[in-house]
Amino acid sequence: MLSSIKKINVTFKSMNDKYPLTNGDTFTGEVTVEVQKECRINSLYVKFKGKANVMWTEQGFRSTTIYHAQDKYFSIRRYFVANKNSKDITQVVLKNQNGEAYSNVLTPGTHVYPFSFQFSKE
C-alpha cells in the first residue's frame, strides 16, 4: 500500500550564531507535510527536549578518575493535531494563524505548521 504522505520536514530558524540555546531563548520553526492524496492523521506534534551532559577528569597520583553527570531540563510535546484517543489530558494543542484548530484531514499538497517554544528550566 502506498502511503499518502510523501514528505515530512522539520526546519528551525536560527536566532543568531550563538549555540547552544540558553534559558529564556525562543526556538522557532515549522513542520512541513506533503501529501499525495487526502488522508486522515491521528496526531501530529513536535517534541522539545532539553538536557545537559558534562564530563570531567581528575588526575590523581597514580590514576585518573572520570566523572560525568546528566541533567534533564524538560521534555514537552506541542500538538498540531491532538490524538483524541489519548488519555493524556495535558496535551497542549497549537492553533493556526486564525486561532482555529488544525484539521486532522490533509488534502493533497503541502501543509505548513509553524511553532515557537521558549526554553526555560522547570
Side-chain angles (χ1 to χ4, degrees):
M1 181 176 176
L2 181 64
S3 173
S4 299
I5 297 176
K6 184 176 180 181
K7 183 174 156 183
I8 297 177
N9 194 32
V10 179
T11 58
F12 70 94
K13 298 173 180 122
S14 178
M15 308 178 11
N16 53 41
D17 293 333
K18 76 171 187 168
Y19 284 96
L21 296 171
T22 60
N23 194 37
D25 288 346
T26 300
F27 182 80
T28 61
E30 59 190 29
V31 176
T32 305
V33 180
E34 187 177 342
V35 296
Q36 298 180 79
K37 59 183 179 179
E38 184 174 294
C39 66
R40 237 175 245 286
I41 55 175
N42 292 329
S43 69
L44 176 64
Y45 65 87
V46 62
K47 184 176 183 179
F48 303 96
K49 292 170 53 171
K51 63 181 180 179
N53 293 302
V54 296
M55 184 179 79
W56 67 98
T57 60
E58 290 184 4
Q59 186 69 41
F61 179 68
R62 293 187 179 212
S63 66
T64 300
T65 304
I66 300 172
Y67 297 94
H68 58 88
Q70 181 175 349
D71 192 9
K72 180 179 173 181
Y73 296 123
F74 55 83
S75 179
I76 298 171
R77 292 181 186 188
R78 294 294 183 252
Y79 286 82
F80 300 108
V81 176
N83 184 343
K84 295 181 182 6
N85 296 324
S86 174
K87 295 176 182 166
D88 180 6
I89 61 170
T90 64
Q91 292 184 94
V92 176
V93 180
L94 303 173
K95 306 288 183 181
N96 67 19
Q97 293 175 354
N98 299 327
E100 301 166 345
Y102 289 101
S103 174
N104 70 329
V105 176
L106 300 182
T107 56
T110 302
H111 303 266
V112 179
Y113 302 89
F115 62 83
S116 177
F117 179 75
Q118 185 174 18
F119 286 92
S120 63
K121 186 175 178 182
E122 294 179 337

